[in-house]
Amino acid sequence: MSDEQLMTTEQTATDLVSTLTPAEQAQAHEVAAQLDTDQSDSVLTYGADAQKNLSNFSQGVLDQVKNQDLGQIGDALTELMSNLQSTKPDELMPVKQGLFAKMFGKVQKSIYEMTAKYQKVGAQIDQVAARLDNHKDTLLADNKMLDGLYKENLDFFQQLGVYIGGAELKLQEINKTDLPAARAQAEASGSQLDAQKVQDLAQFADRLEKRTNDLKLTRQVAMQQAPQIRLIQSTNQALAEKIQSSVSTAIPLWKNQVTIALTLLKQRNAVAAQRAVSETTNDLLKANSEMLKQSTIETAQENERGVVDIVTLQKTQADLINTIEETMRIQADGRQKRADAQVQMQAMENELKAKLLSMANGVSTEPKNVN
């Protein structure tokens, strides 16, 4: 390792250790003591437990993300919006109907039908709201769990910092103390074993540096997971707030508007009914007034008339005179006919007497004409 690299390593170790708390610095010295230059596998196992725990933790976070079925929440929100939009305020507005529509009885839906429809939609909305409430509770519970994961991830981050600090301290110790001492010993003794000791220390320092770099990469992963966890929590919180807004604001507002609209519809129907009653009453009053007028006029006219009209008297008098004259004529004719009959009967009587006398005398005589 060059002097420049050694200075960089020393500076990094000093900077990293200085950021640790006193308790963490003490832990860094403890884990640094676990690094035995005479044990080749001490570098391999150094910080392995922390890396394994972080790997398991990362898998747990991944499983948590996979288990979040945000599609159901989106479907529920979509269904809620669809139900809210299925009811149109225009349906509650009065409809002007032409003559053709009135002829075929096409009238606006009754208030009972509209109320039933809105009650059905309201029940569907309540069901969706209940499902959304469950989703909201699940999201909030997930966020609490993610708070625990965030803390756990922070613990891993700090634990890895301790291991990295310990490794840097060990590297600083090897580079500043052990290697110079070993080199001096090898140069003084000229022994092959002492020279091998220098090589072993250099190889140990190289492996430890690589191991430290691996731990730093793992620590970086832990650092990145913190905002990822917060991002998941932020998404969950946004969805929970959206659900809360929909359930606590949009739905009550919709119900309030529907209630007002139905109330206004009832009022319009009541006004229309009252108008119909008023118009019918006015029509009846007009008709009765016309009938009263006509009856009064006819009654007054009849009251002003006499019991018998002069025309009727004139007619009856003319008929009476004609009757009397006709009666007198008939009587005169009857008297004339009776007189003529008397003459005829006298002649017949005389003729019969003469005939009887003639027969009595045995003499045939011609009867005399009496006329």
Side-chain angles (χ1 to χ4, degrees):
M1 180 177 294
S2 65
D3 293 340
E4 183 180 352
Q5 291 174 332
L6 178 60
M7 291 178 62
T8 303
T9 302
E10 291 175 358
Q11 181 66 32
T12 302
T14 302
D15 291 343
L16 180 58
V17 173
S18 65
T19 61
L20 300 178
T21 65
E24 291 173 342
Q25 290 180 6
Q27 292 176 2
H29 285 284
E30 290 178 3
V31 296
Q34 298 174 6
L35 291 167
D36 188 354
T37 56
D38 294 331
Q39 297 292 332
S40 60
D41 61 345
S42 63
V43 175
L44 179 64
T45 59
Y46 184 75
D49 292 340
Q51 284 184 308
K52 182 179 179 181
N53 290 336
L54 181 60
S55 177
N56 295 334
F57 170 79
S58 300
Q59 184 61 42
V61 175
L62 179 61
D63 293 340
Q64 174 63 26
V65 173
K66 289 181 178 179
N67 290 333
Q68 280 188 323
D69 191 359
L70 300 182
Q72 292 185 358
I73 299 177
D75 293 341
L77 288 172
T78 301
E79 184 178 353
L80 175 61
M81 292 301 102
S82 176
N83 285 325
L84 291 178
Q85 293 173 357
S86 67
T87 53
K88 301 178 180 179
D90 294 343
E91 293 179 337
L92 299 177
M93 297 299 293
V95 178
K96 294 183 178 180
Q97 300 177 2
L99 178 61
F100 183 79
K102 292 181 179 179
M103 288 175 58
F104 288 88
K106 293 182 178 180
V107 297
Q108 186 181 10
K109 290 182 179 179
S110 69
I111 190 171
Y112 304 105
E113 294 174 344
M114 297 300 298
T115 303
K117 175 181 177 180
Y118 278 82
Q119 287 177 344
K120 181 179 179 180
V121 175
Q124 295 173 349
I125 290 176
D126 289 338
Q127 293 175 359
V128 177
R131 283 162 41 202
L132 287 173
D133 266 333
N134 292 334
H135 289 310
K136 183 190 69 175
D137 294 339
T138 301
L139 290 172
L140 295 178
D142 288 345
N143 271 4
K144 289 184 179 180
M145 183 273 298
L146 288 171
D147 281 334
L149 292 180
Y150 185 86
K151 185 177 181 304
E152 188 176 354
N153 182 72
L154 180 61
D155 292 339
F156 289 146
F157 180 80
Q158 294 171 341
Q159 186 179 6
L160 288 168
V162 169
Y163 276 105
I164 294 171
E168 295 288 2
L169 288 173
K170 187 63 176 179
L171 282 171
Q172 184 178 5
E173 178 185 348
I174 292 173
N175 292 324
K176 293 180 65 175
T177 304
D178 295 344
L179 269 175
R183 286 194 186 100
Q185 178 68 26
E187 291 175 357
S189 65
S191 171
Q192 179 66 30
L193 292 177
D194 290 338
Q196 184 62 48
K197 178 66 174 178
V198 174
Q199 183 64 25
D200 290 343
L201 284 173
Q203 291 294 325
F204 186 90
D206 185 64
R207 292 198 307 274
L208 183 57
E209 184 182 3
K210 292 178 180 179
R211 182 61 180 160
T212 303
N213 187 65
D214 289 341
L215 292 174
K216 288 180 179 180
L217 292 175
T218 304
R219 185 170 178 263
Q220 184 65 28
V221 172
M223 183 184 296
Q224 291 177 354
Q225 283 184 339
Q228 290 173 353
I229 293 173
R230 290 306 190 203
L231 182 60
I232 295 173
Q233 287 181 301
S234 177
T235 302
N236 288 348
Q237 188 67 30
L239 286 174
E241 290 173 356
K242 178 64 176 178
I243 292 173
Q244 181 71 21
S245 176
S246 299
V247 174
S248 302
T249 304
I251 294 178
L253 180 61
W254 177 86
K255 290 184 176 180
N256 183 59
Q257 294 302 313
V258 168
T259 300
I260 293 175
L262 288 175
T263 301
L264 293 176
L265 180 61
K266 291 179 181 179
Q267 290 178 351
R268 284 197 297 269
N269 286 354
V271 170
Q274 181 61 40
R275 184 183 299 112
V277 171
S278 298
E279 290 177 355
T280 302
T281 302
N282 289 332
D283 292 340
L284 288 174
L285 290 175
K286 291 177 182 179
N288 290 338
S289 176
E290 185 66 26
M291 292 174 59
L292 178 61
K293 173 184 175 182
Q294 187 67 28
S295 176
T296 302
I297 292 174
E298 293 178 354
T299 301
Q301 289 175 346
E302 290 300 322
N303 287 336
E304 294 301 323
R305 289 177 59 186
V307 176
V308 180
D309 291 338
I310 188 64
V311 176
T312 302
L313 290 176
Q314 291 174 348
K315 179 67 170 57
T316 55
Q317 181 172 336
D319 291 343
L320 178 60
I321 292 173
N322 289 336
T323 301
I324 294 172
E325 290 177 349
E326 184 67 19
T327 301
M328 292 176 63
R329 184 186 63 78
I330 293 171
Q331 290 176 352
D333 290 344
R335 284 194 300 270
Q336 182 63 40
K337 289 179 178 179
R338 286 194 298 272
D340 292 341
Q342 288 293 330
V343 172
Q344 292 291 337
M345 286 188 295
Q346 185 63 44
M348 292 171 62
E349 182 180 355
N350 293 332
E351 182 181 3
L352 180 60
K353 289 180 179 180
K355 189 67 176 174
L356 292 174
L357 289 176
S358 175
M359 291 174 63
N361 294 323
V363 180
S364 179
T365 60
E366 289 291 333
K368 295 180 179 180
N369 191 354
V370 177
N371 293 330

